[in-house]
Structure formats: C-alpha cells, structure tokens
C-alpha cells in the first residue's frame, strides 16, 4: 500500500512538473505582438512612409522576422550579413528584391506585399 501511494505521489509530482511552466511560447507571441503594435502606433503617430510603405511598421517586421539569422542588433551572424548599414549598400528596390526573391542562403518570401515594402523602406534608412 505504501509503495502504491508513493508511486502515485511521485507520478503526480512528475506529471505536474512536466505540464507546468510551458507558457514561454505564449509570452514570446505576446511580446512579438506588442512589438508590432508599438511599431504600428509609432508609424501612425509620425506618418513616416516611403513609397506607400510604412517604415515604422517595417522596423517591427524586420525585428520580428530577421533577427533569428541576422542577429538581435542586425549585426550579422554566421553566413547572414549585417543589416545595420544595408541602406548604404543597397537601394530600397534592391532590398525589396532580396526580401521577396531571396539571395544566397536567404530564402525568398519571408515577407510579401506591403510587409516586404515596409521592411525594405525601413532597411533602406539604415546607413
């Protein structure tokens, strides 16, 4: 009887430990959404646009989409080049082309349409 009770308690503790604390993904999603909302609000307040694309929204999109390969400060990592000064090397149209079609190890289509335009507009300002 004691063994069965200990097994039940131990199993319950193990089960609860495995189920608890797994809310990291929800926190990350909330942070990403807050970052995008903040970027959208800032862009709306300033009215910054370039070629119809919202550069303020572009910052949020770049930071949520590109940092996994290009680094948290867009400094470049491994084979991914720095984006911190990409506007000094490429035009907005060239940046847009890379975002949509990819280049080298970067896959195309990570952002499309207005999102790609907004990201290209913001990155073109980085010099």
């Amino acid at each position: 009887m004691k063994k069965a009770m200990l097994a039940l308690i131990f199993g319950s503790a193990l089960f609860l430990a495995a189920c608890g604390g797994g809310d990291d993904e929800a926190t990350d999603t909330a942070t990403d959404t807050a970052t995008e909302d903040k970027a959208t609000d800032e862009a709306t307040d300033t009215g910054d646009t370039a070629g119809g694309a919202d550069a303020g929204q572009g910052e949020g999109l770049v930071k949520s989409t590109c940092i996994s390969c290009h680094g948290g400060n867009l400094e470049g990592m491994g084979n991914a080049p720095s984006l911190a000064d990409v506007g000094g090397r490429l035009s907005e149209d060239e940046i847009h082309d890379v975002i949509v079609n990819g280049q080298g190890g970067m896959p195309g289509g990570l952002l499309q349409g207005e999102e790609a335009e907004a990201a290209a507009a913001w990155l073109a300002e980085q010099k």
Side-chain angles (χ1 to χ4, degrees):
M1 181 73 175
K2 288 184 180 183
K3 287 183 182 180
M5 186 62 119
L6 284 175
L8 179 64
I9 292 172
F10 180 71
S12 297
L14 185 61
F15 177 76
L16 290 174
C19 292
D23 204 18
D24 291 342
E25 186 174 318
T27 302
D28 291 344
T29 303
T31 302
D32 290 345
T33 302
T35 301
E36 289 176 17
D37 290 345
K38 181 180 176 190
T40 302
D41 291 344
E42 288 173 359
T44 303
D45 292 344
T46 62
D48 290 340
T49 59
D54 192 340
Q57 179 187 12
E59 180 179 8
L61 290 167
V62 168
K63 290 188 176 182
S64 67
T65 305
C66 307
I67 62 171
S68 61
C69 295
H70 293 277
N73 294 321
L74 304 176
E75 72 277 7
M77 292 175 26
N79 292 333
S82 171
L83 298 181
D85 61 349
V86 71
R89 294 179 280 134
L90 300 174
S91 70
E92 183 175 337
D93 289 335
E94 291 170 322
I95 295 169
H96 182 269
D97 184 59
V98 171
I99 292 170
V100 172
N101 300 314
Q103 181 177 9
M106 179 178 161
L110 295 176
L111 297 172
Q112 293 288 333
E114 290 181 8
E115 289 182 340
E117 291 174 12
W122 185 77
L123 285 168
E125 295 173 357
Q126 308 311 302
K127 297 181 181 186

